Amino acid sequence: MRFRKLGDVRVGAVGFGTMPLSIEGRPDEARALATVHAALDAGVTLLDTADSYHPPGGAPGEGELLVARALAAYGGRTDDVLVATKGGRGRTADGGWTVDGRPGHLRRAAEASARRLGATPIGLYQLHKPDPAVPYAESLGVIRELLDAGTVRLAGVSNVDTAQILLAREILGDRLVSVQNRYSPAIRESEPELRLCAELGLAFLPWSPLGGISRSSLDGASALEEDPDFGGFHRVARELGVSPQRVALAWLLARSETVLPIPGASRPETVRDSAGAADLDLSGEELAVLDGR
Ligand SMILES: NC(=O)c1ccc[n+]([C@@H]2O[C@H](COP(=O)([O-])OP(=O)(O)OC[C@H]3O[C@@H](n4cnc5c(N)ncnc54)[C@H](OP(=O)(O)O)[C@@H]3O)[C@@H](O)[C@H]2O)c1
């Protein structure tokens, strides 16, 4: 697999978003481990999780513990794997998502994540979402403390606008290496943030790069599969004899050298298929079709 950079760390150009392995609808343990192992076998070295990736009523960190178990059970090399986790969100019993950017919470959350991952420093720690009740600079100040204390090696932010990225860079300096925002063929609102990351040399990790987990499909196909507006992706995929998801990820990679997609999956087949996007080159003509959808 080709590589991309996260700060000074080289990772496979397609990462793996492990959220579908940890929230409602998750597969059983054997399939979850097999999916992570299929990703690693395919050359994926960036695994994204969060302390809030657990089913409603579950315990914070279930997703991180799963990633730690999967790495421990893998027979191959894992020293080149970067685990990216996040703090600053939680879940309600009815399946909602909360936000908590208070300094005390973030400090405790990062320390608990490091314990669960069995790794200090945490490879990449991302502030999950700005908390409107807490000045963003205050939450970012805790990330700087965690970097200084050696709890965290690299820092990222998520669900942010351009002003928040610039503030994070001011506070964290070059230890800020990534921005994780929603971005996919269907949802392109984060174009300004993607562009700013390209200018600043920050990795841009598009979340839900395939449009998210389909709620209407029992076999777990991505939302992109069902979207009638994305004929271009389906047409190019048919011509190349690959899946439209692989085309979507290759298109994302072509948006900028700093884009690093983290598609989710709950099956070895899908994660393997997505990983193949790292080596799919699209022609200028194909990209023009896809830019227009
Ligand atoms: N920072 C944030 O606020 C935030 C929010 C949401 C997500 N995220 C991160 O972003 C990651 C990705 O987002 P996501 O999981 O919501 O959605 P996604 O990556 O857009 O879509 C995941 C879905 O796509 C399917 N899929 C994946 N590869 C496929 C392929 N090659 N062919 C056919 N279907 C394929 C999967 O099916 P199967 O389940 O059948 O494998 C799964 O249902 C998450 O896992 C999480 O790590 C972050």
Side-chain angles (χ1 to χ4, degrees):
M1 183 182 292
R2 286 181 189 153
F3 294 100
R4 293 232 158 152
K5 295 290 285 280
L6 257 167
D8 58 355
V9 180
R10 223 170 64 128
V11 291
V14 173
F16 176 26
T18 63
M19 185 176 79
L21 303 180
S22 321
I23 63 166
E24 49 273 43
R26 64 185 175 182
D28 64 22
E29 175 88 1
R31 196 173 106 193
L33 296 189
T35 305
V36 177
H37 294 170
L40 299 174
D41 288 344
V44 168
T45 56
L46 172 65
L47 302 179
D48 182 69
T49 181
D51 63 352
S52 53
Y53 290 173
H54 60 80
E62 284 183 30
E64 294 171 327
L65 289 170
L66 173 78
V67 169
R69 285 196 301 280
L71 289 173
Y74 186 58
R77 180 174 174 198
T78 57
D79 59 329
D80 57 347
V81 174
L82 182 75
V83 178
T85 192
K86 315 181 198 78
R89 297 209 81 173
R91 301 216 61 186
T92 58
D94 63 0
W97 296 80
T98 56
V99 60
D100 189 346
R102 289 173 301 173
H105 169 77
L106 292 175
R107 263 183 224 112
R108 282 190 301 277
E111 279 153 17
S113 289
R115 275 195 300 278
R116 285 189 290 260
L117 292 170
T120 308
I122 294 171
L124 172 64
Y125 195 68
Q126 304 159 101
L127 198 46
H128 207 150
K129 189 175 183 173
D131 181 346
V134 178
Y136 197 42
E138 246 175 62
S139 301
L140 288 164
V142 181
I143 305 297
R144 187 175 55 197
E145 279 173 29
L146 291 165
L147 286 159
D148 290 343
T151 313
V152 166
R153 170 143 188 254
L154 300 169
V157 289
S158 181
N159 298 301
V160 283
D161 60 26
T162 52
Q164 289 162 332
I165 296 171
L166 292 171
L167 180 62
R169 192 166 160 87
E170 200 180 304
I171 292 175
L172 303 172
D174 59 11
R175 293 180 296 176
L176 175 77
V177 299
S178 65
V179 170
Q180 185 176 140
N181 273 11
R182 189 176 189 191
Y183 192 86
S184 68
I187 304 206
R188 304 186 188 185
E189 277 78 11
S190 272
E191 191 71 38
E193 289 77 24
L194 187 156
R195 288 284 129 230
L196 180 61
C197 285
E199 271 168 42
L200 299 176
L202 297 173
F204 181 87
L205 280 47
W207 65 255
S208 291
L210 301 172
I213 302 167
S214 163
R215 299 289 162 205
S216 61
S217 160
L218 288 177
D219 68 2
S222 70
L224 175 76
E225 191 74 70
E226 298 156 355
D227 200 320
D229 288 341
F230 292 91
F233 286 82
H234 291 273
R235 197 164 67 247
V236 170
R238 265 196 309 278
E239 281 163 15
L240 295 174
V242 299
S243 68
Q245 286 81 3
R246 193 182 286 196
V247 173
L249 296 168
W251 171 77
L252 284 166
L253 286 164
R255 303 289 300 133
S256 133
E257 275 300 309
T258 64
V259 168
L260 229 165
I262 47 165
S266 64
R267 294 181 287 141
E269 309 85 273
T270 41
V271 85
R272 220 176 275 129
D273 184 61
S274 292
D279 298 310
L280 175 63
D281 286 319
L282 298 169
S283 68
E285 211 174 295
E286 285 156 351
L287 289 170
V289 169
L290 302 175
D291 285 343
R293 304 186 185 183

Coordinates of all heavy atoms in Angstrom, one line a residue, residues 16 18 21 27-44 47 66-67 69-75 265-273:
F16 N -8.5 2.8 8.7 CA -9.7 2.0 9.1 C -10.4 2.6 10.2 O -9.8 2.7 11.3 CB -9.3 0.5 9.4 CG -10.4 -0.4 9.8 CD1 -11.7 -0.1 9.4 CD2 -10.2 -1.5 10.6 CE1 -12.8 -0.9 9.8 CE2 -11.2 -2.3 11.0 CZ -12.5 -2.0 10.6
T18 N -12.9 2.2 13.0 CA -13.4 1.0 13.6 C -14.7 1.2 14.3 O -15.2 0.3 15.0 CB -12.3 0.4 14.7 OG1 -12.2 1.4 15.7 CG2 -11.0 0.1 14.0
L21 N -17.4 -1.5 14.5 CA -17.1 -2.8 15.2 C -17.5 -2.6 16.7 O -17.4 -3.5 17.5 CB -15.6 -3.1 15.2 CG -15.0 -3.3 13.8 CD1 -13.5 -3.6 14.0 CD2 -15.7 -4.4 13.1
P27 N -20.6 -6.4 14.9 CA -20.5 -7.9 14.7 C -20.0 -8.5 16.0 O -19.6 -7.9 17.0 CB -19.5 -8.0 13.6 CG -18.6 -6.8 13.8 CD -19.4 -5.7 14.3
D28 N -20.0 -9.9 16.0 CA -19.5 -10.6 17.2 C -18.0 -10.4 17.3 O -17.4 -9.9 16.3 CB -19.9 -12.0 17.2 CG -19.4 -12.9 16.1 OD1 -18.4 -12.5 15.5 OD2 -20.0 -13.9 15.7
E29 N -17.4 -10.8 18.4 CA -16.0 -10.6 18.6 C -15.1 -11.3 17.5 O -14.1 -10.6 17.0 CB -15.6 -11.2 20.0 CG -14.1 -11.2 20.3 CD -13.7 -9.9 21.0 OE1 -14.5 -9.0 21.2 OE2 -12.4 -9.8 21.3
A30 N -15.5 -12.5 17.1 CA -14.6 -13.2 16.1 C -14.6 -12.4 14.8 O -13.5 -12.2 14.2 CB -15.1 -14.6 15.9
R31 N -15.7 -11.9 14.4 CA -15.8 -11.2 13.1 C -15.1 -9.8 13.3 O -14.4 -9.3 12.3 CB -17.2 -11.0 12.6 CG -17.2 -10.6 11.1 CD -18.7 -10.6 10.6 NE -19.1 -9.3 10.4 CZ -20.4 -9.0 10.2 NH1 -21.4 -9.9 10.2 NH2 -20.8 -7.7 10.1
A32 N -15.2 -9.2 14.4 CA -14.6 -7.9 14.7 C -13.1 -8.1 14.6 O -12.4 -7.3 13.9 CB -15.0 -7.3 16.0
L33 N -12.5 -9.1 15.2 CA -11.1 -9.3 15.2 C -10.6 -9.6 13.8 O -9.6 -9.1 13.3 CB -10.7 -10.4 16.2 CG -10.9 -10.2 17.7 CD1 -10.2 -11.3 18.5 CD2 -10.4 -8.8 18.1
A34 N -11.4 -10.5 13.1 CA -11.1 -10.9 11.7 C -11.0 -9.6 10.8 O -10.2 -9.5 9.9 CB -12.0 -11.9 11.2
T35 N -11.9 -8.7 11.1 CA -12.0 -7.5 10.2 C -10.8 -6.6 10.5 O -10.1 -6.1 9.5 CB -13.3 -6.7 10.5 OG1 -14.4 -7.6 10.4 CG2 -13.5 -5.5 9.6
V36 N -10.4 -6.4 11.7 CA -9.1 -5.6 12.0 C -7.9 -6.4 11.4 O -7.1 -5.7 10.8 CB -8.9 -5.4 13.5 CG1 -7.6 -4.7 13.8 CG2 -10.1 -4.7 14.2
H37 N -7.9 -7.7 11.5 CA -6.7 -8.4 11.0 C -6.7 -8.3 9.4 O -5.6 -8.2 8.9 CB -6.8 -9.9 11.5 CG -6.6 -10.0 13.0 ND1 -6.7 -11.1 13.7 CD2 -6.2 -9.0 13.9 CE1 -6.5 -10.9 15.0 NE2 -6.2 -9.6 15.1
A38 N -7.9 -8.4 8.8 CA -7.9 -8.2 7.4 C -7.4 -6.9 6.9 O -6.6 -6.7 5.9 CB -9.3 -8.4 6.8
A39 N -7.7 -5.8 7.7 CA -7.2 -4.5 7.4 C -5.7 -4.5 7.5 O -5.0 -4.0 6.6 CB -7.8 -3.5 8.4
L40 N -5.1 -5.0 8.6 CA -3.7 -5.0 8.8 C -3.0 -5.9 7.7 O -2.0 -5.4 7.1 CB -3.3 -5.6 10.2 CG -3.9 -4.8 11.4 CD1 -3.6 -5.6 12.7 CD2 -3.3 -3.4 11.5
D41 N -3.6 -7.0 7.3 CA -3.0 -7.8 6.3 C -3.0 -7.0 5.0 O -2.1 -7.2 4.1 CB -3.9 -9.1 6.0 CG -3.8 -10.1 7.1 OD1 -2.8 -10.0 7.9 OD2 -4.7 -11.0 7.2
A42 N -3.9 -6.1 4.8 CA -4.0 -5.4 3.5 C -3.1 -4.1 3.5 O -3.1 -3.4 2.6 CB -5.5 -4.9 3.3
G43 N -2.4 -3.9 4.6 CA -1.4 -2.8 4.7 C -1.9 -1.6 5.4 O -1.2 -0.6 5.4
V44 N -3.1 -1.7 6.0 CA -3.6 -0.5 6.8 C -2.8 -0.4 8.1 O -2.6 -1.4 8.7 CB -5.1 -0.8 7.1 CG1 -5.6 0.2 8.2 CG2 -6.0 -0.7 5.9
L47 N -5.5 3.0 12.6 CA -6.8 2.5 13.1 C -7.4 3.6 14.0 O -6.8 4.1 14.9 CB -6.6 1.3 14.0 CG -5.9 0.1 13.4 CD1 -5.8 -1.0 14.5 CD2 -6.7 -0.4 12.2
L66 N -11.3 -3.2 22.3 CA -11.4 -4.1 21.1 C -10.2 -4.0 20.2 O -9.6 -5.0 19.8 CB -12.7 -3.9 20.3 CG -12.7 -4.7 19.0 CD1 -13.1 -6.2 19.3 CD2 -13.7 -4.1 18.0
V67 N -9.8 -2.7 19.9 CA -8.6 -2.5 19.1 C -7.4 -3.1 19.8 O -6.6 -3.7 19.1 CB -8.5 -1.0 18.8 CG1 -7.1 -0.7 18.2 CG2 -9.6 -0.5 17.9
R69 N -7.3 -5.6 21.9 CA -7.3 -7.0 21.8 C -7.0 -7.5 20.4 O -6.3 -8.5 20.2 CB -8.7 -7.6 22.2 CG -9.1 -7.5 23.6 CD -10.3 -8.4 24.0 NE -11.5 -8.0 23.3 CZ -12.3 -7.0 23.6 NH1 -12.1 -6.3 24.7 NH2 -13.4 -6.8 22.9
A70 N -7.5 -6.8 19.4 CA -7.2 -7.2 18.0 C -5.7 -7.1 17.7 O -5.1 -8.0 17.1 CB -8.0 -6.3 17.0
L71 N -5.1 -6.1 18.2 CA -3.6 -5.9 17.9 C -2.8 -7.0 18.7 O -1.9 -7.6 18.1 CB -3.1 -4.5 18.4 CG -3.6 -3.4 17.4 CD1 -3.2 -2.0 18.0 CD2 -3.0 -3.5 16.0
A72 N -3.3 -7.3 19.9 CA -2.6 -8.3 20.7 C -2.7 -9.7 20.1 O -1.8 -10.5 20.1 CB -3.1 -8.3 22.1
A73 N -3.8 -9.9 19.4 CA -4.1 -11.3 18.9 C -3.5 -11.4 17.4 O -3.6 -12.5 16.9 CB -5.6 -11.6 18.8
Y74 N -3.0 -10.3 16.9 CA -2.6 -10.4 15.5 C -1.2 -11.1 15.4 O -0.3 -10.8 16.2 CB -2.4 -9.0 14.9 CG -2.1 -8.9 13.4 CD1 -2.9 -9.5 12.5 CD2 -1.0 -8.2 13.0 CE1 -2.7 -9.4 11.1 CE2 -0.7 -8.1 11.7 CZ -1.5 -8.7 10.7 OH -1.2 -8.6 9.4
G75 N -1.1 -12.0 14.4 CA 0.2 -12.7 14.4 C 1.3 -11.9 13.7 O 2.5 -12.3 13.9
A265 N -15.9 -0.4 8.5 CA -16.3 -1.7 7.9 C -16.6 -2.6 9.1 O -16.1 -2.4 10.2 CB -15.2 -2.3 7.1
S266 N -17.5 -3.6 8.9 CA -17.7 -4.6 9.9 C -17.4 -6.0 9.4 O -17.8 -7.0 10.0 CB -19.1 -4.5 10.4 OG -20.0 -4.8 9.4
R267 N -16.8 -6.0 8.1 CA -16.6 -7.3 7.5 C -15.2 -7.3 6.9 O -14.8 -6.3 6.3 CB -17.6 -7.6 6.4 CG -19.0 -7.8 6.9 CD -20.0 -8.1 5.8 NE -20.2 -6.9 5.0 CZ -20.4 -6.9 3.7 NH1 -20.2 -8.1 3.0 NH2 -20.7 -5.8 3.0
P268 N -14.5 -8.4 6.9 CA -13.2 -8.5 6.3 C -13.2 -8.1 4.8 O -12.4 -7.4 4.3 CB -12.7 -9.9 6.5 CG -13.4 -10.4 7.7 CD -14.8 -9.7 7.7
E269 N -14.3 -8.5 4.1 CA -14.3 -8.3 2.6 C -14.4 -6.8 2.3 O -13.7 -6.3 1.4 CB -15.6 -8.9 2.0 CG -15.9 -10.3 2.3 CD -16.6 -10.5 3.6 OE1 -16.0 -10.6 4.6 OE2 -17.9 -10.6 3.6
T270 N -15.1 -6.1 3.1 CA -15.3 -4.6 2.8 C -14.0 -3.9 3.1 O -13.6 -3.0 2.4 CB -16.5 -4.0 3.5 OG1 -16.6 -4.6 4.8 CG2 -17.8 -4.4 2.8
V271 N -13.4 -4.2 4.3 CA -12.2 -3.5 4.7 C -11.1 -3.7 3.6 O -10.3 -2.8 3.3 CB -11.8 -3.8 6.1 CG1 -10.9 -5.0 6.3 CG2 -11.1 -2.6 6.7
R272 N -11.0 -5.0 3.2 CA -10.0 -5.4 2.2 C -10.3 -4.6 0.9 O -9.3 -4.1 0.3 CB -10.2 -6.8 1.9 CG -8.9 -7.6 1.8 CD -9.1 -9.1 1.6 NE -9.3 -9.8 2.8 CZ -10.3 -10.6 3.2 NH1 -11.2 -10.9 2.4 NH2 -10.3 -11.2 4.3
D273 N -11.5 -4.5 0.5 CA -11.9 -3.9 -0.8 C -11.5 -2.4 -0.7 O -10.9 -1.8 -1.6 CB -13.4 -4.0 -1.1 CG -13.7 -3.4 -2.4 OD1 -13.2 -3.9 -3.4 OD2 -14.5 -2.4 -2.4

